[in-house]
Amino acid sequence: MKNVDVTRFAFTALAGARKRTFLMLLAMATGIASVLILTSLGEAARRYVIGEFASLGTNLIIVIPGRSETAGGGVVHMLVGETPRDLTLSDAMALQRGSAIQRIAPVNVGSASVSWQGLEREVPILGSSAEMLTVRHWEMAQGQFLPTGDIDRANPVCVLGGKVKTELFGNNSALGEWVRIGDRRFRVIGIMASEGHTIGVNVEDVVIIPVASAQQLFNTSSLFRILVEAKSREIVPQAIEQTTRIIRDRHQGEEDVTVITQDAVLATFDKILQTLTLSVAGIAAISLIVAVILIMNVMLISVSQRTSEIGLLKALGTPNRQIVFLFLAEAGLLSTAGAVLGVIMGEIGSQLIGYFYPVLPVGAPWWAFVAAIGVALITGLLFSILPARRAAQLDPVEALAHR
Amino acid sequence: MITLENIQRIFPVGDQQVHALRDINLHIKPGEYVSIMGPSGSGKSTLLNLLGLLDHANSGTYRLAGDDITSLSDEQHAQLRRERIGFVFQFFHLIPRLTAAQNIELPLTLSGVPPEQRHKRARDALTAMGIADRADHRPDQLSGGQRQRVAIARATIMNPDLILADEPTGNLDRASGKEVVEILEALNKKGKTLLIVTHDPELGARSKRLLHMVDGKIVSDEQQNAGES
């Protein structure tokens, strides 16, 4: 029997039981579509987070006070904000001397009330330097960022986030105005462009002041972080080495800071989200398995409903293996059609999600396609071997007598 | 053509053994026209199934065209059925979703004959049966007589030399039954060996040789010349 004829015969058999075939296709397609949609959601989340990190710059090194690798104490110190030795502004300035280091930006954070003409708001305050703008790839809407020059100069100037500006000034011009932050007065020299969230800081809702001013405001000499940008991605390891060495030299030979790279954070997130994607895909795969078991059931029903047809095929001299082949072809056709339908449904689903949540870069990864279709086809066929063999092993006389 | 020696067929029914065929000895020459009659349960259908290789004897020897085929494999039996035996059933056994032409083509399709050739042979067979205009009708759009003619066309499309008919007119009205019998007899005249199992004495009387079966035994085997009409 020619393959074309086998396919056509299986096709007419499926077309002959329209409702059953349709329901079967629906089950199969739903299984595949759910695998695809869920993995594409997981992938979207992963790509989104990675995209966010990449926007921070991939040659970024972050210096955190405290040692996270020393057993026990370090982590606790970091969590409660206690460190054996603070990071200071002079540490930051010292880092500038590293040959692999392009620029540094010290960071200090706190919260203070900001007021203008009777309007007052509690706002996160970010103390930093002019370098920050470049390091974090931020953009200005109006005016300018913090002045360049000595970072230990406490200039009374500030840059407002877009939301803070609107809340305090409404439609009035803010540039050049004096606002009160805590118990000090600062002149507004710039407004941040609203470029959405970057990991950790919402630029919209923050006031940025020179780091030295922030230290005075919060009455501290320590820093929250130092952001270090390596000259290029390749020499990030040297930059780390230099950073660690410089800080150690300044801290009496004690390595009491943690240096993490953007890549390390990225890799961790990547791993977490990949695992997440795989586990939701696994859950979705259960529906695929259910669909496959349904296929087996449908094939068993098909065999018992077509007993007399099988008897006829035998009377016409069809060898047993050909009967097996005919039923497997039917299952294969069903699985393939279900898979194709499922991929289409999955794509439509993903596109819909992408339409309603444009930030998410939806789209199932290639391995999800391969896995979903592969599992559908292979298990679909595997689970149909039993019904097909049952058909082939029918006794022709009894099968023909079956009405 | 066919030689049966000491054929026994025993079915276990519950914890009893039912002798469907007891010690059958039978010789049928090529081109013979044989009717098998007998009451229900006399074993005539079992005999036909056995001759058609749908069933196996428990003991005894079955020679088809001189070859002992008792011990052949299932696969070889299937091949013999495909190439040498045509079945005609009481309930036609047409596949409901296939057209008349496709039903006739089925044996050709199963043995891998290319489509153009298949279509031509099916068309010729339909014309020979006088139902060429019914080629694209499905079985449920055909009358009983037309269905049986499609079934006969299917049984003969592979050009077998043995035709086995189990109550071929059992489900037909008188007129179409007669037509069907005439078609079968015409095939016999062209040299095909024809075996008909029937309840109908009138049909039995038409054959040149009439076997009577009772309780799994052939109780009478008579030559008759009433068949010529």
Side-chain angles (χ1 to χ4, degrees):
Chain A
M1 196 165 177
K2 289 190 166 49
N3 287 336
V4 189
D5 293 323
V6 172
T7 315
R8 188 177 300 150
F9 190 86
F11 182 79
T12 63
L14 288 173
R18 238 165 265 245
K19 197 186 277 173
R20 195 174 64 202
T21 305
F22 173 74
L23 288 174
M24 205 45 251
L25 283 180
L26 204 63
M28 196 76 186
T30 311
I32 289 183
S34 54
V35 170
L36 291 182
I37 290 174
L38 286 178
T39 47
S40 93
L41 264 181
E43 266 294 291
R46 193 178 69 86
R47 282 186 216 153
Y48 175 74
V49 169
I50 288 172
E52 289 287 300
F53 269 105
S55 76
L56 297 181
T58 46
N59 34 10
L60 196 62
I61 299 161
I62 302 165
V63 184
I64 304 170
R67 189 87 197 119
S68 68
E69 284 160 38
T70 17
V75 183
V76 174
H77 285 315
M78 197 175 67
L79 287 177
V80 298
E82 271 179 7
T83 57
R85 201 173 275 102
D86 288 338
L87 268 180
T88 63
L89 213 47
S90 23
D91 287 334
M93 286 188 287
L95 286 178
Q96 278 174 320
R97 294 197 299 269
S99 60
I101 293 165
Q102 181 73 33
R103 53 176 74 85
I104 62 113
V107 177
N108 214 337
V109 291
S111 184
S113 61
V114 180
S115 61
W116 184 73
Q117 288 191 353
L119 285 171
E120 192 175 298
R121 258 199 99 229
E122 190 77 11
V123 176
I125 308 291
L126 191 69
S128 193
S129 69
E131 255 48 73
M132 191 68 170
L133 189 70
T134 326
V135 171
R136 299 298 295 256
H137 302 280
W138 283 340
E139 273 170 37
M140 302 300 295
Q142 282 174 38
Q144 49 198 306
F145 199 66
L146 300 175
T148 46
D150 293 341
I151 55 172
D152 53 352
R153 269 195 64 186
N155 285 319
V157 292
C158 68
V159 176
L160 304 182
K163 190 176 159 203
V164 178
K165 187 258 163 191
T166 318
E167 281 178 352
L168 287 179
F169 291 88
N171 287 327
N172 299 323
S173 168
L175 284 186
E177 295 293 327
W178 287 84
V179 293
R180 180 167 284 279
I181 302 176
D183 55 356
R184 286 157 195 269
R185 275 156 50 85
F186 291 83
R187 196 162 58 85
V188 179
I189 56 166
I191 314 290
M192 298 304 297
S194 53
E195 46 106 62
H197 288 260
T198 17
I199 299 294
V201 190
N202 180 2
V203 187
E204 285 278 278
D205 196 18
V206 75
V207 171
I208 303 162
I209 59 175
V211 65
S213 308
Q215 285 185 323
Q216 288 176 8
L217 191 64
F218 301 125
N219 192 24
T220 175
S221 61
S222 66
L223 292 173
F224 177 62
R225 297 256 187 288
I226 302 174
L227 303 185
V228 177
E229 191 183 296
K231 280 189 169 138
S232 76
R233 195 171 179 173
E234 289 70 45
I235 59 169
V236 164
Q238 281 107 293
I240 294 172
E241 195 267 318
Q242 284 173 7
T243 305
T244 322
R245 183 167 44 74
I246 290 169
I247 300 282
R248 191 178 53 219
D249 289 350
R250 294 182 50 81
H251 289 190
Q252 286 91 45
E254 237 181 287
E255 211 172 289
D256 54 3
V257 292
T258 302
V259 178
I260 56 173
T261 60
Q262 196 62 39
D263 279 0
V265 178
L266 205 69
T268 312
F269 266 91
D270 194 27
K271 222 158 81 187
I272 293 170
L273 289 162
Q274 189 104 45
T275 315
L276 196 75
T277 306
L278 276 175
S279 51
V280 286
I283 294 166
I286 294 173
S287 62
L288 201 57
I289 298 299
V290 171
V292 164
I293 292 170
L294 268 176
I295 285 202
M296 177 162 84
N297 261 306
V298 162
M299 292 313 291
L300 281 172
I301 293 167
S302 180
V303 167
S304 69
Q305 282 185 344
R306 282 154 64 198
T307 302
S308 77
E309 177 182 324
I310 295 160
L312 171 77
L313 288 176
K314 293 199 152 196
L316 293 179
T318 314
N320 288 352
R321 58 183 159 72
Q322 199 164 25
I323 290 172
V324 170
F325 193 47
L326 277 174
F327 277 88
L328 286 185
E330 208 174 310
L333 218 57
L334 204 57
S335 308
T336 312
V340 170
L341 202 67
V343 167
I344 294 171
M345 270 168 63
E347 269 302 293
I348 292 174
S350 300
Q351 293 303 322
L352 276 180
I353 292 169
Y355 178 77
F356 288 114
Y357 300 95
V359 262
L360 286 181
V362 282
W366 64 269
W367 57 260
F369 282 96
V370 174
I373 297 171
V375 166
L377 286 184
I378 294 170
T379 49
L381 283 175
L382 220 61
F383 275 57
S384 298
I385 288 177
L386 173 78
R389 287 179 62 103
R390 177 170 296 186
Q393 268 143 28
L394 283 174
D395 176 62
V397 176
E398 273 172 38
L400 279 167
H402 197 275
R403 296 284 308 157
Chain B
M1 180 81 201
I2 291 170
T3 309
L4 297 182
E5 283 164 15
N6 309 320
I7 292 287
Q8 304 272 0
R9 182 68 177 114
I10 301 161
F11 294 113
V13 175
D15 48 3
Q16 282 189 310
Q17 306 274 310
V18 173
H19 269 75
L21 297 175
R22 297 171 196 263
D23 204 19
I24 299 280
N25 289 286
L26 181 65
H27 182 75
I28 296 172
K29 292 190 283 294
E32 260 196 292
Y33 175 12
V34 184
S35 287
I36 306 169
M37 294 193 68
S40 296
S42 59
K44 53 191 193 310
S45 285
T46 306
L47 178 62
L48 200 77
N49 290 331
L50 200 124
L51 289 172
L53 298 170
L54 293 176
D55 204 352
H56 303 271
N58 293 89
S59 66
T61 318
Y62 176 10
R63 288 181 213 283
L64 186 66
D67 306 319
D68 182 359
I69 56 169
T70 330
S71 54
L72 293 184
S73 68
D74 275 359
E75 191 108 331
Q76 287 164 315
H77 279 168
Q79 194 187 347
L80 283 172
R81 282 201 298 273
R82 193 159 65 232
E83 292 169 358
R84 309 197 61 164
I85 302 171
F87 286 95
V88 178
F89 307 97
Q90 179 179 4
F91 297 104
F92 323 127
H93 280 298
L94 299 177
I95 296 183
R97 57 178 186 277
L98 301 181
T99 64
Q102 285 168 337
N103 266 294
I104 295 172
E105 278 178 32
L106 194 55
L108 299 173
T109 312
L110 291 170
S111 32
V113 175
E116 315 79 50
Q117 222 173 313
R118 281 195 326 242
H119 298 335
K120 192 188 170 305
R121 280 167 73 175
R123 242 189 344 266
D124 292 349
L126 279 160
T127 312
M129 293 292 159
I131 46 172
D133 56 330
R134 291 289 189 227
D136 296 324
H137 288 60
R138 285 175 209 288
D140 55 5
Q141 298 166 312
L142 300 173
S143 71
Q146 287 168 340
R147 287 187 213 181
Q148 195 60 300
R149 277 186 267 178
V150 171
I152 294 170
R154 180 183 62 197
T156 52
I157 195 81
M158 294 292 284
N159 204 18
D161 32 33
L162 177 61
I163 294 173
L164 303 173
D166 194 353
E167 307 269 16
T169 61
N171 225 25
L172 298 176
D173 60 63
R174 226 175 158 67
S176 31
K178 188 159 179 282
E179 281 167 22
V180 162
V181 171
E182 276 162 5
I183 291 168
L184 289 172
E185 287 172 354
L187 288 166
N188 171 246
K189 289 216 177 70
K190 282 185 204 153
K192 306 216 180 292
T193 311
L194 176 63
L195 258 89
I196 298 180
V197 162
T198 183
H199 263 109
D200 179 6
E202 211 174 303
L203 176 54
R206 292 171 71 103
S207 63
K208 299 189 184 105
R209 184 177 173 192
L210 180 63
L211 302 179
H212 263 285
M213 288 187 72
V214 176
D215 282 345
K217 282 184 182 156
I218 298 175
V219 290
S220 78
D221 182 352
E222 8 178 314
Q223 297 289 330
Q224 40 186 29
N225 36 25
E228 305 299 322
S229 57

